[in-house]
Amino acid sequence: MGVHDGWDAPMRIALGEARSALLTGDVPIGAVVLDSNGTVLGRGRNAKEATADPTAHAEIIALRQAAAARGEWRLEGCTLVVSLEPCTMCAGAVVLARLSTLVFGAYDDKAGAAGSLWDVVRDRRLNHRPEVVAGVLAEESTALLREFFGSHRPQN
């Protein structure tokens, strides 16, 4: 069995959330939080444009829903599945929420904080380090982002 086995189905849920973000003109990034049994506790999609909130990233929204569902902020035993490598804010939230696992699709060479530009989630100076599984359905996530940015950038 490979490292990605078992993560395709939850990543497809995250990609569905990402596609929904397109309806509000937001960057297509989606996330889900699963408990240790694989039950979805929270879902999120980028909503910065829809809400005029700079913190309305898919991961933050999914984490808030999961914490509300659990009735506590500690999400030990839970997994965040997100279509794009988290930024520094979201990687910090993963650490602070004490998530057991972070699964992401595409790497973000410009702002990624789980191995690309920074590696906040594996920083030994912090009090918690989740397991990281990268590259799950990365091609689908990358294609969705390329299509979005291709249609939102001026053509020369």
Side-chain angles (χ1 to χ4, degrees), residues 53-87:
D53 178 355
T55 68
H57 290 206
E59 300 95 324
I60 300 299
I61 294 166
L63 289 171
R64 285 177 180 157
Q65 282 187 10
R70 268 202 158 176
E72 65 174 323
W73 62 267
R74 288 176 192 87
L75 298 176
E76 293 152 343
C78 293
T79 298
L80 174 68
V81 180
V82 60
S83 59
L84 183 68
E85 179 182 5
C87 70

Side-chain angles (χ1 to χ4, degrees), residues 5 77 99:
D5 290 345
L99 285 161

Side-chain angles (χ1 to χ4, degrees), residues 146-156:
R146 275 198 185 118
E147 182 180 334
F148 174 80
F149 285 114
S151 66
H152 284 78
R153 291 198 173 126
Q155 303 300 314
N156 291 337

Side-chain angles (χ1 to χ4, degrees), residues 85-97:
E85 179 182 5
C87 70
T88 53
M89 174 181 70
C90 295
V94 165
V95 172
L96 292 172

Side-chain angles (χ1 to χ4, degrees), residues 30-73:
V32 293
V33 176
L34 310 170
D35 69 10
S36 59
N37 297 317
T39 302
V40 175
L41 297 178
R43 296 171 180 252
R45 65 183 69 110
N46 270 12
K48 292 189 319 184
E49 299 299 328
T51 62
D53 178 355
T55 68
H57 290 206
E59 300 95 324
I60 300 299
I61 294 166
L63 289 171
R64 285 177 180 157
Q65 282 187 10
R70 268 202 158 176
E72 65 174 323
W73 62 267

